[in-house]
C-alpha cells in the first residue's frame, strides 16, 4: 500500500515506501507490513510485530534494522528505546529467490505519556460547530487570490481531532502565544513530552489519529464569540478559507475557549482530517 500524508498549514507531502511489490513473475506478490507507528516512554520495553506474506506461501526471512544496526532477524521482537526522539525502524521481508521488500515503523520516544485534562464537549456545541462549517461548505466560496472553490461535502465530527484542537487552544490561551507551533511551555502538553515545541501532526498523533491529510485553522478576537462569526472570519482570510473548503477533508474537531482576562478573550482552533484507509 502506498500512503500519501499531507499536512495542510503549508503543504507537506510524505511518500511512504510501497508495501506490495511484484517480482519478475507477475503472478507472484510479496508484502511487508511493519505495523502502526508507536509512541512509548523512554526505557519502556515494547513488543514489535511485523508481517510478511507471499501469494505462494513460500518460506520468508525477516530483518529489523535501525540505521546500520540489526535489531532482529525475526518478525516479532522486543524493543527498548533509550534515547528521546523518533526511532525509524526498517522491516525487510526476503523470499527464497532473493527478492525483498521493506516497510517503515516510527517509534516516538518520550519522557512521559500525555495525560491531559480535556472536558467532554456537549452534543449541542458539536452541532453548532458542524452547522456553521457545513453551511459554508455547502455554497461556492471565493478564497481571495486562491480563487473560487465549489460547494463540497459535509464534514463529520471526530473526537480525536477535538482533543488535539483543545490541547492547542488552551496552550495558546495560557502561554499568550498565537502560532500553529506549540508554545514549548508546560501548557504545550505534546511538546512537553517531546522536549520541544509541538507541531500539528505531533499533537494529532498524540490522540492516536491515523491521518492521510490534516489541516488547522486558528482564530481569536474579543467579539468572535460564536462559530458562525468565526467561520465568517475564516472565509474572509484566503488560506483559512482554503482549509474550510478543502474537498479532501472528511472530519473535523473544533474548540472555543473563552477567558475574559486574556488578550483576545475568545480563542478558536479547528483541526481537519481525512483518516488513513
Amino acid at each position: 500500500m502506498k500512503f500519501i500524508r499531507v499536512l495542510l498549514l503549508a503543504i507537506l507531502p510524505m511518500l511512504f515506501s510501497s508495501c506490495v511489490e511484484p517480482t519478475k513473475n507477475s503472478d507472484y506478490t510479496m508484502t511487508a507490513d511493519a505495523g502502526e507507528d508507536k509512541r512509548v516512554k523512554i526505557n519502556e520495553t515494547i513488543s514489535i510485530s511485523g508481517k510478511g506474506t507471499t501469494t505462494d506461501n513460500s518460506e520468508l526471512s525477516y530483518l529489523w534494522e535501525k540505521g546500520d544496526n540489526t535489531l532482529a532477524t525475526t518478525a516479532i521482537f522486543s524493543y527498548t528505546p533509550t534515547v528521546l526522539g523518533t526511532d525509524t525502524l526498517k522491516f525487510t521481508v526476503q523470499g527464497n529467490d532473493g527478492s525483498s521488500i521493506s516497510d517503515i515503523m516510527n517509534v516516538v520516544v518520550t519522557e512521559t505519556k500525555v495525560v491531559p485534562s480535556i472536558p467532554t464537549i456537549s452534543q449541542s456545541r458539536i452541532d453548532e460547530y458542524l452547522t456553521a462549517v457545513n453551511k459554508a461548505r455547502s455554497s461556492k466560496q471565493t478564497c481571495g487570490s486562491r480563487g473560487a472553490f465549489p460547494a463540497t461535502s459535509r464534514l463529520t465530527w471526530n473526537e480525536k481531532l477535538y482533543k488535539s484542537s483543545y490541547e492547542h487552544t488552551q496552550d495558546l490561551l495560557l502561554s499568550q502565544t498565537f502560532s500553529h507551533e506549540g508554545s514549548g511551555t508546560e501548557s504545550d502538553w505534546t511538546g512537553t513530552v517531546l522536549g520541544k515545541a509541538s507541531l500539528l501532526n505531533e499533537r494529532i498523533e498524540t490522540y492516536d489519529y491515523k491521518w492521510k491529510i490534516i489541516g488547522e485553522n486558528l482564530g481569536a478576537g474579543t467579539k468572535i464569540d460564536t462559530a458562525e462569526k468565526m467561520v465568517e472570519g475564516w472565509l474572509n482570510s484566503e488560506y483559512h478559507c482554503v482549509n474550510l473548503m478543502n474537498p479532501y477533508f472528511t472530519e473535523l474537531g473544533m474548540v472555543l475557549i473563552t477567558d475574559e482576562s486574556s488578550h483576545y478573550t475568545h480563542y478558536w482552533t479547528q483541526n481537519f482530517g481525512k483518516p488513513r484507509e
Side-chain angles (χ1 to χ4, degrees):
M1 53 189 171
K2 193 172 285 184
F3 296 137
I4 298 179
R5 303 175 70 185
V6 183
L7 174 60
L8 284 176
L9 302 174
I11 297 177
L12 174 65
M14 293 184 280
L15 185 63
F16 282 75
S17 59
S18 173
C19 298
V20 180
E21 182 177 284
T23 63
K24 292 180 180 179
N25 181 353
S26 60
D27 295 328
Y28 176 86
T29 301
M30 181 188 304
T31 70
D33 183 2
E36 298 288 346
D37 294 345
K38 296 181 181 292
R39 182 183 295 268
V40 300
K41 293 169 59 177
I42 192 169
N43 296 318
E44 176 185 0
T45 299
I46 58 173
S47 177
I48 291 181
S49 178
K51 182 179 180 181
T53 64
T54 61
T55 49
D56 64 359
N57 296 315
S58 57
E59 186 176 351
L60 297 171
S61 59
Y62 306 100
L63 177 65
W64 281 98
E65 298 172 286
K66 178 185 173 185
D68 295 329
N69 298 320
T70 297
L71 301 176
T73 55
T74 55
I76 302 172
F77 76 107
S78 296
Y79 182 64
T80 306
T82 58
V83 179
L84 296 175
T86 300
D87 294 349
T88 299
L89 310 185
K90 181 180 179 181
F91 176 59
T92 300
V93 177
Q94 184 170 338
N96 287 331
D97 62 354
S99 62
S100 64
I101 185 173
S102 299
D103 192 25
I104 296 296
M105 170 189 286
N106 290 310
V107 180
V108 179
V109 186
T110 65
E111 289 185 307
T112 184
K113 291 184 177 178
V114 178
V115 187
S117 177
I118 298 177
T120 300
I121 186 170
S122 68
Q123 186 60 51
S124 61
R125 185 55 62 91
I126 292 173
D127 293 343
E128 176 194 350
Y129 293 164
L130 287 176
T131 297
V133 171
N134 286 326
K135 180 180 178 182
R137 287 171 66 89
S138 69
S139 301
K140 176 181 176 181
Q141 303 290 345
T142 300
C143 300
S145 65
R146 304 299 299 276
F149 284 71
T152 188
S153 57
R154 297 174 62 84
L155 300 180
T156 59
W157 187 257
N158 185 278
E159 192 70 12
K160 294 175 181 178
L161 294 177
Y162 160 68
K163 290 179 178 179
S164 61
S165 297
Y166 185 91
E167 174 180 330
H168 196 47
T169 310
Q170 63 81 39
D171 181 31
L172 298 179
L173 175 62
L174 293 177
S175 66
Q176 290 297 284
T177 56
F178 202 79
S179 170
H180 290 290
E181 186 174 277
S183 67
T185 66
E186 289 184 1
S187 59
D188 182 0
W189 298 331
T190 296
T192 297
V193 299
L194 294 177
K196 67 180 189 68
S198 67
L199 302 177
L200 170 61
N201 65 299
E202 293 165 339
R203 293 190 296 271
I204 283 178
E205 289 162 7
T206 289
Y207 301 99
D208 201 33
Y209 187 79
K210 310 299 184 185
W211 59 275
K212 184 175 183 180
I213 303 171
I214 51 175
E216 181 172 77
N217 279 346
L218 304 178
T222 57
K223 304 296 184 182
I224 307 176
D225 56 355
T226 68
E228 187 174 8
K229 291 178 183 177
M230 189 66 261
V231 168
E232 182 181 358
W234 280 324
L235 288 175
N236 289 325
S237 171
E238 61 182 45
Y239 289 103
H240 297 93
C241 178
V242 169
N243 270 345
L244 271 170
M245 298 304 295
N246 190 319
Y248 297 105
F249 292 139
T250 60
E251 297 178 331
L252 171 73
M254 184 169 166
V255 172
L256 162 66
I257 300 180
T258 297
D259 183 345
E260 296 292 344
S261 65
S262 64
H263 183 68
Y264 293 113
T265 306
H266 305 293
Y267 290 76
W268 295 84
T269 301
Q270 279 184 320
N271 280 174
F272 303 92
K274 178 177 182 178
R276 189 187 306 170
E277 298 174 355

